[in-house]
Amino acid sequence: MLTIGQLIKFGRINHKMSQDDLAKKLDVSKNYISLVENDKKDPSISFLKNTAKLLNIPLVLLVWEKMDLPEGKTKEEKEIREQIDKMVDKAHKMFAERTFKIKKPKK
């Protein structure tokens, strides 16, 4: 799964923006963008919300890592957690395919 920083970097590159461009639009420093993209800074939910809107990244992909969901105690809870993880992983892949215009091989 892609990290928050990787998603933001890919989104920024896809929009042909420099770190400086993104920083100015989000009213933060270029250094802050660099730290976030390199997963050295844990951004706020507000920052993620603004970034998601600006870069057209589904917000759930950015906040998923910040969510502290229990692993589940019962078999049913564990299955639900696994299904959610699979859905988010699929969404990450779809975002990457859309961002990089990757075409799936034909079967």
Side-chain angles (χ1 to χ4, degrees), residues 29-79:
S29 71
K30 178 183 173 185
N31 185 54
Y32 184 81
I33 298 297
S34 177
L35 291 171
V36 170
E37 287 186 352
N38 289 295
D39 299 309
K40 301 208 185 289
K41 180 75 174 165
D42 186 23
S44 69
I45 295 293
S46 176
F47 173 85
L48 294 177
K49 184 178 175 185
N50 293 334
T51 303
K53 186 175 182 179
L54 181 66
L55 298 179
N56 194 27
I57 300 171
L59 182 58
V60 69
L61 297 183
L62 295 178
V63 298
W64 184 250
E65 283 187 25
K66 294 180 85 57
M67 296 177 73
D68 187 21
L69 296 177
E71 291 297 317
K73 294 180 183 176
T74 67
K75 181 181 177 184
E76 184 178 54
E77 288 172 346
K78 289 177 183 179
E79 287 174 356

Side-chain angles (χ1 to χ4, degrees), residues 7-34:
L7 286 166
I8 291 172
K9 183 175 184 175
F10 294 155
R12 174 181 62 77
I13 291 168
N14 188 50
H15 281 79
K16 297 176 178 39
M17 295 173 72
S18 68
Q19 286 182 339
D20 195 47
D21 295 334
L22 182 59
K24 286 177 184 172
K25 290 184 183 281
L26 294 173
D27 197 29
V28 297
S29 71
K30 178 183 173 185
N31 185 54
Y32 184 81
I33 298 297
S34 177

